[in-house]
Structure formats: structure tokens, C-alpha cells
């Protein structure tokens, strides 16, 4: 199957909002995986590592990592959680994908 990069807003001053976004990213990734896709969900992968490893949570820190993974993927799917339009990270991920000629699709968030 094709490999999908699942973009989703994350950064927020409220820890509960970050946790909510993390859980929704996991659910969306699982849905895509059930459909037979290979999914890289940066939120699912990096949130636990950042929290347990005391790494920065901001886009500036993760940008080069995320760009590396976008290069490996066939397309980027944006999970349209509240805040995605104003998310610096998500907007940058869309720009990176377009600069690399990768298709960008949009996915409704459940609930």
C-alpha cells in the first residue's frame, strides 16, 4: 500500500488539548491502517517520546524530522481537527508536501 503522512495540529498551551489531539491522531491513523494504508502519524510517534524524553514540543524542533518523513511518503493527509487552519506545523507540512509535489488530502475528524 501507499505510505501516508498524517498531519494534525498539536502545539497548544493546554496539556488536555494536546492529549485530545494525540488521541484523535491515533484514531485516524488506525482508520487508515484498517483501510490497508501504511501510515506515519508524527503525533502518535513523537508525543510519547517527547513527553517521556523531555523533548521540546514545538514545530521548530520537529520540522526537519517531519520534512524527512514527508519525503518518504506518497501523500499527506490533513486531519481537520479544530485549529488545523491556524496550526503553524500543519500549514508548514502542507507547504512542504506541495513543494515536493506530493498530493495533499483532507480528512474529517470523528466526533
Amino acid at each position: 500500500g501507499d505510505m501516508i503522512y498524517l498531519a494534525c495540529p498539536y502545539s497548544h498551551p493546554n496539556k488536555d488539548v494536546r492529549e485530545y489531539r494525540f488521541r484523535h491522531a491515533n484514531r485516524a491513523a488506525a482508520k487508515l491502517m484498517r483501510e490497508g494504508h501504511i501510515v506515519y502519524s508524527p503525533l502518535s510517534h513523537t508525543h510519547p517520546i517527547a513527553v517521556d524524553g523531555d523533548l521540546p514540543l514545538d514545530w521548530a524542533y520537529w520540522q526537519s524530522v517531519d520534512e524527512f518523513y514527508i519525503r518518504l511518503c506518497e501523500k499527506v493527509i490533513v486531519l481537520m481537527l479544530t485549529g488545523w487552519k491556524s496550526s503553524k506545523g500543519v500549514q508548514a507540512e502542507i507547504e512542504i508536501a506541495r513543494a515536493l509535489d506530493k498530493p495533499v488530502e483532507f480528512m474529517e475528524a470523528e466526533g
Side-chain angles (χ1 to χ4, degrees), residues 83-101:
W84 75 270
K85 285 181 181 164
S86 58
S87 165
K88 205 162 58 170
V90 170
Q91 293 310 314
E93 286 162 328
I94 291 169
E95 277 175 36
I96 291 164
R98 295 204 165 128
L100 295 169
D101 279 327

Side-chain angles (χ1 to χ4, degrees), residues 18-46:
R18 294 197 302 269
E19 188 68 24
Y20 170 87
R21 290 172 170 179
F22 169 65
R23 300 216 167 272
H24 271 277
N26 295 341
R27 279 183 213 145
K31 181 175 189 281
L32 292 166
M33 289 163 83
R34 276 194 297 273
E35 292 168 5
H37 302 286
I38 294 162
V39 180
Y40 175 69
S41 171
L43 218 59
S44 308
H45 183 75
T46 59

Side-chain angles (χ1 to χ4, degrees), residues 60-103:
Y61 179 81
W62 293 101
Q63 182 168 2
S64 60
V65 178
D66 290 345
E67 186 165 342
F68 179 88
Y69 277 104
I70 291 171
R71 284 179 189 279
L72 296 179
C73 292
E74 269 73 51
K75 68 178 167 191
V76 169
I77 293 183
V78 176
L79 183 62
M80 296 187 294
L81 276 184
T82 305
W84 75 270
K85 285 181 181 164
S86 58
S87 165
K88 205 162 58 170
V90 170
Q91 293 310 314
E93 286 162 328
I94 291 169
E95 277 175 36
I96 291 164
R98 295 204 165 128
L100 295 169
D101 279 327
K102 309 266 182 183

